[in-house]
Amino acid sequence: MNKEISELLYQIAELLSFSKENLFRVRAYENAARVIESYPRDIEELVKNNELKEIPGIGKSIEEKITEYLSTGRLKYLDELKKEIPEGLLDIMNIPGMGPRKTKIVYENLKITSIKELETAARNGKLRNISGFGEKTEENVLSGIQLQQKLRGRMLLFEALNLADTIMKEIKKNKEVKQVSPAGSLRRLKETVRDIDILCTVKKNKEKYIIDRFTNLPIVDKVLAAGTTKASVISKEGVQIDLRVLEELCYGAALQYFTGSKEHNIALRELANRKGFTINEYGVFKISKSGPPPSPSGKSVAGRTEEEIYALLGLRFIPPMLRENRGEIESSMDGRLPQLINLTEVRGDTHVHSKYSDGVNTIEEIADKAEKLGYEWVIICDHSQSLKIADGVSLKDMYRKIDYINRLNQKNPGIKILAGTEVDILSDGKLDYPDELLKELDFVNAAVHTGFKQEEEQITTRIIRAMENKYVHCISHLTGRLIGKREPYKINIEKVLQSARDTGTVLEINAFPERLDLSDVYCKRAKEMGIKMCIGSDAHSIGQMEYLPLGVYVAQRGWLEKNDVINTMNYKELKTEV
Ligand SMILES: [Zn+2]
Ligand SMILES: [Zn+2]
């Protein structure tokens, strides 16, 4: 619910800054949205207990709006604001890089009210006539539109997992269901997912019953099709969900088939053919020299489980995360598949923000949460002094923070808190803190937060220079991408990886849902080069510390094993080896 409320407040802020409102009110809504977004407690519960005031920055008028929405499901104020501006402008505002200010300018100057019109104007060089706009703006507009279309219809893995989890729980409640599993890119834990596929087997003659239960779930908005063994629905979020009820005899074959990827399945089919078999969603069949090709009614030689299918083809079981045809079939054949890192092997989080910068929680609360998550250690990393928008920590406060952490560690030996930072890499590659401070810290994450538009050479040298500082342990979110919102900075990734190897710098897998940066493909490459990686949640509230598994999934898709990731080290190893 917090996410939903914060999105409404962001929308209000956007609309207000589009119309005539003063900046002060816009900021008030933005602040409230940001705080609620990462607030550790559920807003609905706070309202019920009349405790909304405990959240800083929520005044009377915002409180009323939250209460109204929670009790009526509507927000009159927002509806009225929407009426005041042409409909298409809302879409334009949401294009990465546009925002309310630029949207207003193109509307006032060129009467543009739709994405299509904006695209045409940018292509025909019409935007550069507006004062303050140039050719560069046109390029940015076009790439923003493209970026948005790329994600259209796809959602972040985090959202897909949550939705699938809700559905799976509901389906499992029925005792008629015997086996159930997600399939598709969700099961492969890909960073974005288009729709959700679920497969199950049920007790005899209960197929239609389960289909009915599924199509009547509260999350369903529209039923597209409902047969006796298959149904497709659209959820309230607009996501298509398919449920297939299968015969037990071909459950494994269907799971294998619908998990994909397409590339993996093509390679597998070719291997099967070479061995005299044919493989499809119903099972594995022997190819006979004469007679018709195998059909579902023919007798399969494997199909009940995925394991028996892979075994029949002379392969060890390939975990879904690896099924991308990136060498997994060959590795499996040779018995060289990686022992993928496991969530239970993780002993700590390398990137958590506290109240010292823009985080919501105190260091004690973070330590407490880390203990609850079963960790041995946690690294507190706040932003550095220059990053004003994120309340960067001054030198003086940093020394105070180190002292404070030392004292906490003496008081509570149950969890080790490491004093860290997420120090800014300034535009020339210098760091935002002097070496004298950096060397006092247990762990130094360095990261780029400004100057995203620098040329490739400049930004590459900038990051390499940071890696060459001997006090820097790790580079956070190396490419700076935000899935569906911002392309990676232009860096020469190969050069940067070489430098990470040469300087012994760890690279972060940032587990924040829209970052997942490094991506799986780069993780695999980094591993091949002998680079160590770490997983940081980049949490700005203790609730967000639960993002960390997303980073583990990326690591798994990147073929990483326990020893490739420093989060599996105990405190002593971490202090001595990193
Ligand atoms: Zn950052
Ligand atoms: Zn951060």
Side-chain angles (χ1 to χ4, degrees), residues 162-229:
N162 283 342
L163 182 56
D165 189 50
T166 312
I167 305 163
M168 293 283 292
K169 271 191 194 133
E170 290 293 334
I171 293 179
K172 279 181 189 164
K173 275 185 197 161
N174 299 293
K175 55 182 188 326
E176 292 78 8
V177 171
K178 293 170 99 175
Q179 294 159 288
V180 58
S181 168
S185 48
L186 176 67
R187 183 160 178 248
R188 303 198 315 277
L189 300 171
K190 220 178 150 195
E191 62 192 30
T192 59
V193 171
R194 185 176 298 282
D195 37 45
I196 293 178
D197 290 307
I198 294 176
L199 309 184
C200 69
T201 57
V202 298
K203 288 186 185 156
K204 217 168 178 265
N205 299 328
K206 290 293 175 189
E207 291 85 357
K208 186 69 186 130
Y209 171 80
I210 290 301
I211 293 286
D212 287 342
R213 298 305 298 255
F214 171 67
T215 52
N216 284 304
L217 288 178
I219 55 129
V220 171
D221 183 42
K222 209 161 58 198
V223 178
L224 297 178
T228 45
T229 58

Side-chain angles (χ1 to χ4, degrees), residues 285-303:
F285 303 86
K286 263 211 166 82
I287 300 177
S288 60
K289 296 271 180 309
S290 58
S295 70
S297 55
K299 195 162 162 38
S300 70
V301 284

Side-chain angles (χ1 to χ4, degrees), residues 351-353 358 381-383 422 447 449 476-477 508 510 515 538-540:
H351 189 161
V352 181
H353 291 266
D358 57 349
C381 292
D382 284 301
H383 289 294
E422 180 179 7
H449 292 108
S476 291
H477 46 72
E508 179 191 68
N510 190 295
R515 285 197 185 266
D538 207 350
H540 287 65

Side-chain angles (χ1 to χ4, degrees), residues 422-575:
E422 180 179 7
V423 64
D424 240 45
I425 303 174
L426 302 175
S427 62
D428 57 359
K430 283 201 194 108
L431 297 176
D432 195 23
Y433 285 136
D435 285 358
E436 296 81 69
L437 169 61
L438 296 180
K439 75 171 183 229
E440 299 300 322
L441 294 166
D442 297 310
F443 197 82
V444 175
N445 275 307
V448 167
H449 292 108
T450 53
F452 303 142
K453 299 232 146 80
Q454 284 178 342
E455 290 308 320
E456 177 177 307
E457 200 187 312
Q458 200 180 359
I459 203 153
T460 303
T461 347
R462 184 177 165 197
I463 293 173
I464 291 178
R465 208 175 149 193
M467 289 187 184
E468 283 167 351
N469 181 308
K470 64 176 173 191
Y471 300 114
V472 168
H473 295 95
C474 169
I475 303 291
S476 291
H477 46 72
L478 183 72
T479 77
R481 67 140 176 203
L482 296 177
I483 300 170
K485 285 190 190 155
R486 187 169 76 207
E487 292 285 10
Y489 343 114
K490 294 194 204 89
I491 51 170
N492 184 326
I493 191 88
E494 201 58 26
K495 265 195 189 166
V496 171
L497 293 183
Q498 275 164 20
S499 169
R501 179 194 58 202
D502 297 344
T503 55
T505 309
V506 174
L507 295 179
E508 179 191 68
I509 301 168
N510 190 295
F512 214 77
E514 58 185 13
R515 285 197 185 266
L516 305 185
D517 180 10
L518 287 182
S519 65
D520 49 9
V521 174
Y522 290 149
C523 282
K524 186 162 188 277
R525 178 77 191 120
K527 177 199 166 101
E528 286 160 3
M529 292 173 73
I531 297 166
K532 296 267 185 245
M533 273 151 281
C534 67
I535 304 172
S537 65
D538 207 350
H540 287 65
S541 72
I542 52 173
Q544 294 179 345
M545 288 168 75
E546 291 173 23
Y547 290 158
L548 196 115
L550 296 171
V552 176
Y553 303 152
V554 174
Q556 291 174 332
R557 285 182 53 85
W559 293 52
L560 303 192
E561 300 177 278
K562 185 180 175 196
N563 288 337
D564 298 316
V565 180
I566 67 167
N567 300 61
T568 63
M569 290 180 170
N570 64 34
Y571 176 70
K572 220 172 121 198
E573 291 164 337
L574 188 71
K575 286 288 283 182

Side-chain angles (χ1 to χ4, degrees), residues 385 393-402 433 437:
Q385 49 189 354
V393 186
S394 73
L395 273 174
K396 208 171 96 204
D397 285 344
M398 273 306 280
Y399 282 109
R400 208 177 294 156
K401 181 175 142 181
I402 296 172
Y433 285 136
L437 169 61

Side-chain angles (χ1 to χ4, degrees), residues 21-251:
E21 276 302 328
N22 67 43
L23 213 58
F24 178 75
R25 287 198 62 193
V26 175
R27 291 271 177 278
Y29 277 99
E30 275 175 359
N31 280 337
R34 199 172 315 124
V35 172
I36 290 175
E37 191 176 25
S38 58
Y39 204 71
R41 291 183 57 196
D42 185 39
I43 291 297
E44 216 169 346
E45 188 192 308
L46 288 175
V47 170
K48 250 185 233 148
N49 303 334
N50 206 10
E51 288 173 334
L52 205 53
K53 286 177 198 72
E54 88 163 35
I55 307 183
I58 305 232
K60 186 113 192 78
S61 120
I62 295 183
E63 185 185 334
E64 278 169 13
K65 291 185 181 78
I66 295 175
T67 319
E68 180 197 338
Y69 183 73
L70 286 175
S71 53
T72 66
R74 302 194 57 89
L75 200 46
K76 258 189 258 141
Y77 184 57
L78 181 61
D79 293 342
E80 276 159 25
L81 282 174
K82 278 185 182 165
K83 261 186 251 152
E84 279 174 30
I85 70 165
E87 219 184 304
L89 293 186
L90 289 172
D91 301 332
I92 296 182
M93 262 185 238
N94 285 327
I95 296 170
M98 278 304 288
R101 197 184 60 87
K102 286 192 186 139
T103 304
K104 189 172 182 175
I105 295 174
V106 295
Y107 172 62
E108 282 173 353
N109 282 275
L110 301 171
K111 298 274 158 298
I112 286 174
T113 53
S114 73
I115 293 182
K116 193 83 214 121
E117 286 168 14
L118 179 67
E119 192 178 352
T120 314
R123 275 195 207 295
N124 298 337
K126 291 271 160 45
L127 298 185
R128 66 187 73 168
N129 301 331
I130 303 175
S131 112
F133 282 30
E135 268 177 69
K136 197 90 201 138
T137 325
E138 287 166 356
E139 276 171 36
N140 291 343
V141 164
L142 290 175
S143 72
I145 293 175
Q146 221 180 20
L147 199 59
Q148 200 184 40
Q149 276 162 355
K150 226 161 65 183
L151 193 71
R152 175 154 302 161
R154 298 193 77 89
M155 65 196 133
L156 298 174
L157 176 63
F158 177 68
E159 295 160 357
L161 284 170
N162 283 342
L163 182 56
D165 189 50
T166 312
I167 305 163
M168 293 283 292
K169 271 191 194 133
E170 290 293 334
I171 293 179
K172 279 181 189 164
K173 275 185 197 161
N174 299 293
K175 55 182 188 326
E176 292 78 8
V177 171
K178 293 170 99 175
Q179 294 159 288
V180 58
S181 168
S185 48
L186 176 67
R187 183 160 178 248
R188 303 198 315 277
L189 300 171
K190 220 178 150 195
E191 62 192 30
T192 59
V193 171
R194 185 176 298 282
D195 37 45
I196 293 178
D197 290 307
I198 294 176
L199 309 184
C200 69
T201 57
V202 298
K203 288 186 185 156
K204 217 168 178 265
N205 299 328
K206 290 293 175 189
E207 291 85 357
K208 186 69 186 130
Y209 171 80
I210 290 301
I211 293 286
D212 287 342
R213 298 305 298 255
F214 171 67
T215 52
N216 284 304
L217 288 178
I219 55 129
V220 171
D221 183 42
K222 209 161 58 198
V223 178
L224 297 178
T228 45
T229 58
K230 194 196 153 189
S232 293
V233 302
I234 302 283
S235 80
K236 287 188 175 140
E237 296 89 348
V239 179
Q240 181 168 340
I241 308 158
D242 294 347
L243 176 74
R244 288 185 170 80
V245 185
L246 299 153
E247 303 258 352
E248 272 171 62
L249 202 59
C250 49
Y251 181 67

